[in-house]
Amino acid sequence: MAKKKEVNYIWGTGRRKTSVARVRLLEGKGNIQVNKVDVDTFFSTQTQRQRVRAALKAVDCEKSFDIFIRVHGGGYNGQADAISLGIARALLKQNPENEAALRDGKFLTRDSREVERKKPGQKGARKSFQFSKR
C-alpha cells in the first residue's frame, strides 16, 4: 500500500466583523481558491479581488503560493478583509522577514470594529422612533 504524500501547509486565520477566514498556503503557481471556487469567480468586484491579493503584492509572492481559503460569515467586503489578514499572517509565519513590508501596508492590523447592538425602546443601535410632542 502506497503512503500518502504529506503536505505541509502554512496556516493563517483572519477575522473582520463576523467573517472568519482560514487560509492555507502551499508552494505553487499562484492559484487562489475561496470555498473551492476561483477567487475571481467568488468575488464580483475588482476592489475585493485586489484586497485579497494586496498582501501578496507587498512581499512579491503573487506567483509563489497556491492558496486555499475557507471563509464564512458576514458579507463579501468583510470576507475579503478577513482573507487579506489571514494571508498576511500566513506569509509572516512562512518568512518572518516579511514583517516590515506587511506592517507598512497595515496588513497585520486586525480591524476590531463590530456592529453596535440594538437598544431596547429604539429602532436600532442609534436610530430612535419618531418623537411626538402631542
Side-chain angles (χ1 to χ4, degrees), residues 83-123:
I83 290 169
S84 178
L85 178 62
I87 290 173
R89 285 180 174 174
L91 287 170
L92 183 65
K93 272 188 195 173
Q94 186 264 335
N95 187 359
E97 294 172 9
N98 292 336
E99 186 170 6
L102 292 170
R103 287 234 182 262
D104 289 344
K106 297 193 170 55
F107 296 114
L108 293 174
T109 306
R110 182 355 182 152
D111 192 347
S112 62
R113 294 177 294 173
E114 297 281 336
V115 177
E116 191 176 336
R117 77 177 195 88
K118 182 196 170 298
K119 312 299 187 307
Q122 291 185 1
K123 220 171 188 173

